[in-house]
Amino acid sequence: MTTTTTTTRAPVRRAASVGSGRPHGGPPSARRRRERLYQWLFLVPASVYLVLFFGYPVVKNLIMSFQDYGTATFYTGEAPWVGFDNYAKVLGSTIFTTAALNTALFTAGSIVGQFVIGLGLAVFFRKKFPLSGVLRSLLLLPWLIPLIASGAVWKWILDKDSGALNQFLEALHLVPNGVPWLTSTQLALVAVVGVNVWIGIPFNVTILYGGLQDIPDELYEAAALDGATGWRSFWNITWPMLRPVVNVVLVLGVVYTLKVLDIILALTGGGPANASQTIATESYALSFEQFRFGEGSALGNILVLISLVFALFYLRASRRGVED
Amino acid sequence: MSAISTTSSGTMPARASARAAKRTGLPYTALGILFLAIMLFPVYWMVNASLQPNGTTIQATWFPIHPDFSGYGTALAQQGQNLGTSLIVALGSVVLSLAIAAPAAYALSHFTVRGTNIVLFAILISQMIPGIVVANALYTAYNDLGLLNTIGGLILADSSHGVPFAILIIRAFMGSLPSSIIEAGRVDGAGHVRVFWSIVLPVSRNALITAGLFTFLFAWSDFLFALTLTTTDAVRPVTLGLYQYIGSYVTDWSSVMATAVLASLPAVVLLLVAQKFVAAGTSTGAVK
C-alpha cells in the first residue's frame, strides 16, 4: 500500500499529459475509438456468454410458448404456431391453481422462517463470545453442501417409519405413531418448507450479520447512556439501520425461492397428489416428464413474469444500496 | 470473517477487560454450540447413517459405535465414475467461468465504457431467470447441436451458476484497487492486456481463488442441468446418481448416505481449509 501511494504522484501528472494528446499518436478521436474498442474486448466473452445462456433461453422460451412443441417436434422438426393455446391450457388446468397457491405458500413460509431465524442468529452472533467466529462459519455448511445431498438426508430423517424425527417425537410421546411427513397431502408442503428454511438460514445469517457489523458501536453506546438497551435498542437502532440490507435479503430471498426445484424434486417430487407441486416443478414436469415443451415454457414464462415483478423491487433496493 | 474478529480482539489494549468479556461470554458459547448442533444435526445424521452396516439401517443407532465402511465401498463402486464426472465438470466450469469473468470484472471496475451498465444490468436480471427456463431452451438447442450427454455441454451450462457470481465478486475486489496502479502500468507503455495480465490479475489472486472455489461448488452441486441435459448413463454427475438412488424405494440407506457424504466433501473441505479465502471474498465490500 505504501509503495503505491509514494509512486502515485508522478504517474498521475504524466497520465494527464497523455490525456491531452501525445504528438505522435494520431488524431485524438481515432485513438480514443481504438481505446474504446480495446476496453470493449474485455467485456466480449462475458457478454457473449450472458447472451447465449440467459438471453437466448428467455427468447427461445418465449417463442416455444407459442408453439406446439412436443415429442413430435424432435422427430419432424416441426412446431406449429398455436397462438395463446399453451397459456390457455396451462392457466386453465386445475393443477395451476394448486401450483400457484403452493408457490405462494412455499415462498412466504420459507422467507418468513429463514428471515426470522436468520436475523435472530445474526443478532446473537453480534455479541463477541469465545468461538463465535468458528461457530458462525460452521453454520454455513447447510448452505454449501449440494441440495440433493441435503434432500437425501432429510428424506430419510422425515421418513414415516424409520426417520429420526419421528423416532425423536415418539420417544418424547409428542406424537402417537409415525407422522407421514412426506406422504401426507396435508404435511408434505409443510415439510418441504421446513427443509427449505433450514437451507436458507445460513444465507440470511451471513448477509444480515454483515449488515449488523456496519452499524457503529457508538450508536449503541449512546443509546445505552439514554437507557435504551435490549428490545428498545433493537427497534430504535438495529432495525432502522439494517433496513436497506433487510430489503435486499428479502427480495433476493423471494427471487431465489420462487425458482426452487431441486429440494422439492428430491423430497416429494411435487407429490403426493400435487400437494407440494409449485410452478417451477410443474414446468419441469410438463417439459421433461410429459415432453410438452410448449406448455412447459409457457408456465416457465409465467414464473419469469412473477420474478420480474420482484426484480423491480430488487433493483430499487440494490440501487439504493449502491448509492449509499 | 473470523480472521478479522480474532485480530481485532487481539489488538484490544485492555487485556483484562477482554478476559472478563471472555468469561461472561461462556454462556453464549454454550448457547451457540446448541444452535449449531441443531442446525448441523442433518449433516451429523448423514455421516452417522453412512457408517451403519449395509442394508440394515431401518433402525439406525444414534451413534456409529461400530463404524462400518461397507456403505462407502458400495458408493464408490456404484458412484465412483459419477464422482469423477462431477469433478471434471466442476474443474472445467472453474476455468471457463474465471476466463470469462476476470476480464469482464476488470472492465466493469476500471473502464467507463458505455456498455458496462448494460452488462451489470444483465447480470442482475440473470439472477431472476429460473433454471428451468434455461434448461427448457438449452435442451432443445443441445439436442440440435449434439451437446446432450457431453461433458462440454454440462460445463457450459453449469457455468451459468458461476459466471455472474464470479463477475460480481471479482469486480468488488478490483474496484478497491487504486487506479494509480493501472495508470502507472499504462504510462510505462504496457497495453491493457499486459496491465491486466501482469499487474491486475496477480494482485487479485485472493478474489480469483474465492470466485474459483465458489464456482467449483456451484458446478459440483448442480442438479438441474445434470437432470435435464443428460439422458443416458454415459455422462452422469454424482448429484444425479444420488437423485436416482432416492427416487426409487431405498433399501440400502448406508450407501446412499455414503454417497451424500462424498458429494458433500468439497463443501466441507472449502469451509475447513479455504476459510481464509472465503473470508477474503466476503469482507472485500466491508474493507473499502
Side-chain angles (χ1 to χ4, degrees), chain A residues 35 49 162 198 259 287, chain B residues 39 58 127 136 156 160 192:
Chain A
E35 171 81 10
Y49 185 84
S162 55
W198 177 78
K259 54 183 185 183
S287 289
Chain B
M39 277 296 288
I58 293 303
Q127 297 304 294
N136 233 344
L156 280 167
S160 67
H192 277 301

Side-chain angles (χ1 to χ4, degrees), chain B:
Chain B
M1 250 181 280
S2 71
I4 288 167
S5 61
T6 46
T7 49
S8 67
S9 64
T11 53
M12 213 185 273
R15 209 181 293 163
S17 76
R19 209 178 299 142
K22 209 164 234 178
R23 217 179 306 121
T24 53
L26 280 178
Y28 283 105
T29 305
L31 203 56
I33 291 173
L34 180 70
F35 287 151
L36 194 72
I38 297 170
M39 277 296 288
L40 294 191
F41 173 77
V43 182
Y44 166 73
W45 200 241
M46 193 197 287
V47 177
N48 175 41
S50 72
L51 294 170
Q52 305 284 340
N54 239 357
T56 54
T57 26
I58 293 303
Q59 293 290 326
T61 53
W62 292 87
F63 302 99
I65 308 160
H66 306 291
D68 183 315
F69 289 90
S70 55
Y72 285 89
T74 316
L76 282 174
Q78 294 180 353
Q79 303 281 350
Q81 197 195 340
N82 299 345
L83 285 162
T85 302
S86 285
L87 189 67
I88 295 169
V89 169
L91 289 175
S93 177
V94 170
V95 173
L96 181 69
S97 299
L98 290 185
I100 290 173
Y106 176 55
L108 291 176
S109 57
H110 283 281
F111 299 158
T112 46
V113 203
R114 204 175 300 146
T116 52
N117 279 332
I118 302 172
V119 176
L120 266 185
F121 185 74
I123 292 170
L124 288 179
I125 287 293
S126 75
Q127 297 304 294
M128 323 292 162
I129 301 171
I132 183 63
V133 167
V134 179
N136 233 344
L138 283 188
Y139 179 83
T140 55
Y142 272 30
N143 189 47
D144 295 341
L145 296 169
L147 281 171
L148 290 177
N149 301 311
T150 61
I151 298 266
L154 278 183
I155 291 175
L156 280 167
D158 283 1
S159 298
S160 67
H161 302 300
V163 166
F165 177 85
I167 292 178
L168 291 180
I169 205 156
I170 301 174
R171 170 178 167 268
F173 181 85
M174 288 182 176
S176 68
L177 293 177
S179 44
S180 53
I181 293 184
I182 292 143
E183 279 161 17
R186 294 283 291 150
V187 168
D188 290 347
H192 277 301
V193 178
R194 268 280 304 282
V195 170
F196 173 69
W197 186 256
S198 46
I199 298 176
V200 176
L201 279 189
V203 179
S204 312
R205 193 172 139 263
N206 279 7
L208 291 173
I209 293 176
T210 305
L213 288 171
F214 277 97
T215 307
F216 181 92
L217 270 196
F218 290 155
W220 174 272
S221 310
D222 166 75
F223 167 64
L224 183 62
F225 293 127
L227 179 66
T228 52
L229 300 179
T230 67
T231 51
T232 64
D233 286 339
V235 175
R236 173 142 297 178
V238 70
T239 48
L240 192 56
L242 200 50
Y243 177 65
Q244 283 172 335
Y245 266 164
I246 60 172
S248 52
Y249 180 72
V250 181
T251 50
D252 181 13
W253 276 107
S254 65
S255 52
V256 176
M257 289 298 121
T259 309
V261 170
L262 293 173
S264 305
L265 269 185
V268 178
V269 170
L270 170 75
L271 210 54
L272 297 182
V273 180
Q275 229 245 307
K276 189 181 85 178
F277 294 109
V278 179
T282 45
S283 60
T284 38
V287 166
K288 73 172 168 109

